[in-house]
Amino acid sequence: MHDKDYQVIIIGAGFSGLCMAIKLQQAGLSDFLILEGASEVGGTWRENTYPGAECDIPSALYSYSFEHNSAWEFKWSEQQQIFDYQKNIAKKYDLYEKVAFDQQVESAVFDEDQSVWSITSVKGDTFRCQHVVSAVGQLHLPAQPDFAGEEHYTGAKFHSAKWDHSVELAGKRVAVIGNAASALQFIPQIAPLVEHLTVFQRSANWVIAKQDRSYGSIEQWVSEKVPLITRLYRLSLWLRGECLVLPAMRRNRIAQRLLKWMAQKSLRRVIQDPELIKKLTPDYPIGAKRILFSDDYYGALVRDNVHLDTSGVKQFTEQGILRNDGVEESFDVVIYGTGFKTNPFLASIDVQGLGGRPLREHWQGGAHAYLGITTYDFPNFYMMYGPNTNLGHNSIIIMIEAQARYIVKCIERLAISGQKTLQVKEAVESQYNEEIQARLKKMSFADVKESWYMDGGRITNNWAGSTLEYRRRLRKVNWNNYLIT
Ligand code: NAP
């Protein structure tokens, strides 16, 4: 049942949803509701509670530009502090009262006659609005591969994004499947506790030393009291991503060599065994998959109680795992560090646009959207952190803020003119996507056959340029690109 029609409904109360809400409020558009599936704000920073969870983008940059936090304790903050930052922001902007918690959205259907979106939650509640903003993120559905024989395995198992804190790891035999951004953070935390740890690595990753450090009280004081220094610091962190990492993703040889050298240095500083160095050296160009940052991952791998397996999981057995090299290992606990189902996009919500057309069908062959925000035939439907807006080189918060400002302009335009719908023209979107896909083909992301950036052969997740370019393109809305009725 619904008791009113909202002007805007935001789905999700993570970094994107909160930012969207703040920008709406600041524009004087307060007739909105946030639907959140969980009972707290925070998105990925609420969900991922695995030991050692922290951000791999420095906090001074991985925070809203309009909400500086001088209290960051580390250069790269831990999950709890980022989560606290989000909760404090939600409180400061009185957003808790704008959130309907425990409302996991199941479907969003556009009613053409009334130009209204009807959103239904798993609970069976219905909410109606003129504009929908999807702010569900790209990394919220854990991917857990099916291995043969799993049903016979009698030990404990869980995914890193659903960490089971009730399972005691001390003194246990533990397997970790996967070795990317999440696993590399929790492996060093659990290795000293467990009796034995086997890390199942399918592909090696490029890992650069994080050189994390805590901020001293003087730095925190300067950060609080001297805004110019704070802004310059944020600028320097941003420039590093734009000027060093992005060129590597554009296959610039010098930048790639430099980053590769940094990664090899990190590896060789800790690992001397040539066989292990070989196993841990990727066979693809740096930047094709996410570059990882860690100060303690390699140190964990050389512990006596840790084994790096590269033969792979053949199948589960009652007691543990049979490896492809024929060795059966017994495990008390298996932890999946196997990432997220990033495609198809918005898989958990049945979105239907004009003529009842499902978004899933519209996106056959891979998700696409104009500026990553809108797609034709889905009027008044906006996405934050949508198709082709993920970054491998800089803070996603920069993209999110630009998107929120752009979406506000679209909503304001209709509010002022009294018109009902806005949708991007098909030809505009097609031309835009052709441009982005052509550019992505020339980037390092195209140098692997498979990654979470892709759907089939199409790179659906990543942005093709700098954050500066993205902000520039979103600065003004070109109304000629839209059908407004
Ligand atoms: P991921 O990057 O998708 O890595 C999944 C890992 O599991 C990879 O090592 C993958 O191997 C392995 N894997 C997947 N399926 C497998 C199978 N069937 N058999 C064996 N191995 C398998 O996932 P993630 O580490 O959770 O990270 C996902 C993204 O989340 C990151 O790229 C990053 O954007 C974000 N993240 C960010 C932070 C942060 O600090 N801000 C922290 C964690 C995650 P292959 O490489 O061979 O596919």
Side-chain angles (χ1 to χ4, degrees):
M1 290 293 289
H2 67 274
D3 51 7
K4 73 172 286 237
D5 286 1
Y6 291 91
Q7 186 178 21
V8 187
I9 286 184
I10 301 166
I11 307 174
F15 261 115
S16 297
L18 296 178
C19 182
M20 187 71 238
I22 293 166
K23 294 294 164 196
L24 284 171
Q25 270 179 345
Q26 289 173 342
L29 301 166
S30 56
D31 183 17
F32 67 86
L33 177 72
I34 306 176
L35 296 177
E36 168 55 55
S39 51
E40 180 54 280
V41 302
T44 193
W45 296 104
R46 180 200 60 241
E47 292 288 297
N48 285 274
T49 61
Y50 58 78
E54 59 184 31
C55 194
D56 58 7
I57 299 287
S59 296
L61 194 58
Y62 193 85
S63 46
Y64 298 130
S65 61
F66 53 88
E67 271 303 335
H68 173 64
N69 179 21
S70 52
W72 294 125
E73 284 168 11
F74 288 90
K75 188 169 179 186
W76 284 269
S77 292
E78 293 169 357
Q79 171 261 342
Q80 188 60 51
Q81 212 185 2
I82 302 172
F83 186 29
D84 288 343
Y85 170 81
Q86 294 176 305
K87 288 188 280 189
N88 287 337
I89 295 231
K91 267 185 221 139
K92 177 174 172 182
Y93 288 87
D94 295 325
L95 293 178
Y96 276 101
E97 61 199 52
K98 304 291 264 179
V99 187
F101 287 107
D102 303 308
Q103 291 288 1
Q104 181 73 38
V105 171
E106 192 173 56
S107 68
V109 177
F110 187 64
D111 177 336
E112 271 175 67
D113 295 334
Q114 297 187 51
S115 298
V116 160
W117 281 92
S118 181
I119 300 178
T120 307
S121 70
V122 171
K123 268 186 185 172
D125 292 331
T126 301
F127 305 85
R128 286 160 49 100
C129 59
Q130 185 184 8
H131 302 272
V132 183
V133 181
S134 162
V136 300
Q138 293 193 6
L139 299 156
H140 60 287
L141 296 176
Q144 196 162 312
D146 292 324
F147 292 104
E150 250 178 299
E151 66 281 13
H152 303 302
Y153 170 63
T154 51
K157 57 183 167 113
F158 54 84
H159 189 279
S160 63
K162 303 272 173 208
W163 195 274
D164 187 343
H165 292 276
S166 70
V167 175
E168 183 59 69
L169 297 178
K172 298 285 170 59
R173 293 186 60 83
V174 178
V176 171
I177 304 176
N179 57 301
S182 302
L184 150 140
Q185 292 185 341
F186 67 75
I187 285 169
Q189 304 296 315
I190 65 171
L193 307 175
V194 303
E195 182 200 311
H196 180 82
L197 175 67
T198 296
V199 176
F200 286 92
Q201 170 187 290
R202 191 167 64 177
S203 326
N205 287 297
W206 293 107
V207 183
I208 293 177
K210 203 169 190 180
Q211 293 178 308
D212 197 7
R213 65 180 190 85
S214 57
Y215 288 129
S217 53
I218 294 176
E219 286 170 299
Q220 286 178 329
W221 184 87
V222 170
S223 170
E224 164 112 31
K225 304 286 181 202
V226 194
L228 178 66
I229 301 275
T230 300
R231 278 202 286 274
L232 286 175
Y233 181 50
R234 190 174 161 103
L235 180 71
S236 71
L237 295 170
W238 172 79
L239 278 172
R240 188 185 134 111
E242 296 295 295
C243 301
L244 174 62
V245 190
L246 178 61
M249 285 163 186
R250 287 179 164 154
R251 294 180 176 149
N252 175 293
R253 291 262 171 87
I254 296 169
Q256 282 190 330
R257 266 195 211 142
L258 181 59
L259 289 179
K260 214 169 140 178
W261 172 78
M262 288 165 79
Q264 282 167 338
K265 200 170 123 199
S266 311
L267 174 62
R268 286 168 192 272
R269 194 168 40 212
V270 184
I271 314 255
Q272 276 82 45
D273 174 4
E275 201 48 42
L276 197 49
I277 289 179
K278 204 169 149 200
K279 280 184 178 178
L280 289 166
T281 303
D283 59 2
Y284 55 84
I286 196 157
K289 294 188 192 178
R290 192 171 176 90
I291 299 170
L292 308 181
F293 296 90
S294 175
D295 291 329
D296 47 13
Y297 177 59
Y298 290 137
L301 294 185
V302 291
R303 291 178 61 90
D304 288 342
N305 65 335
V306 177
H307 170 71
L308 179 75
D309 172 86
T310 51
S311 76
V313 176
K314 184 166 188 207
Q315 65 174 84
F316 275 61
T317 61
E318 210 177 303
Q319 304 299 326
I321 288 175
L322 176 63
R323 304 189 328 216
N324 281 323
D325 60 8
V327 176
E328 184 181 348
E329 284 193 87
S330 62
F331 294 114
D332 304 301
V333 186
V334 174
I335 305 171
Y336 295 83
T338 43
F340 300 87
K341 283 181 218 149
T342 53
N343 276 298
F345 255 77
L346 283 176
S348 60
I349 306 176
D350 177 19
V351 183
Q352 296 177 25
L354 292 180
R357 183 158 194 230
L359 193 55
R360 288 180 193 138
E361 195 183 296
H362 180 75
W363 277 348
Q364 262 178 17
H368 50 82
Y370 175 57
L371 301 172
I373 297 178
T374 57
T375 186
Y376 67 94
D377 282 354
F378 290 79
N380 300 1
F381 181 81
Y382 313 89
M383 285 163 280
M384 299 188 71
Y385 194 16
N388 293 116
T389 61
N390 179 58
L391 300 176
H393 74 280
N394 222 319
S395 171
I396 196 64
I397 310 283
I398 299 167
M399 307 291 271
I400 285 169
E401 287 187 21
Q403 289 154 9
R405 288 191 294 264
Y406 187 93
I407 296 168
V408 164
K409 288 190 186 105
C410 295
I411 294 169
E412 263 178 337
R413 158 88 194 222
L414 263 60
I416 291 166
S417 68
Q419 287 161 301
K420 286 184 177 165
T421 64
L422 174 144
Q423 62 163 316
V424 68
K425 292 175 182 167
E426 183 175 348
V428 170
E429 189 190 335
S430 300
Q431 198 182 11
Y432 170 82
N433 281 308
E434 273 167 33
E435 176 214 320
I436 298 302
Q437 288 303 319
R439 287 171 60 183
L440 284 166
K441 279 193 186 123
K442 295 185 195 146
M443 296 183 73
S444 58
F445 314 131
D447 291 335
V448 281
K449 285 202 179 73
E450 235 183 298
S451 75
W452 72 258
Y453 300 157
M454 293 180 181
D455 190 358
R458 185 185 162 96
I459 300 166
T460 46
N461 291 60
N462 282 13
W463 167 236
S466 65
T467 57
L468 199 64
E469 178 196 341
Y470 190 72
R471 281 175 56 142
R472 182 178 51 71
R473 289 177 86 145
L474 267 62
R475 197 160 290 140
K476 279 191 188 154
V477 183
N478 182 349
W479 302 112
N480 293 326
N481 289 343
Y482 289 91
L483 295 169
I484 304 176
T485 59

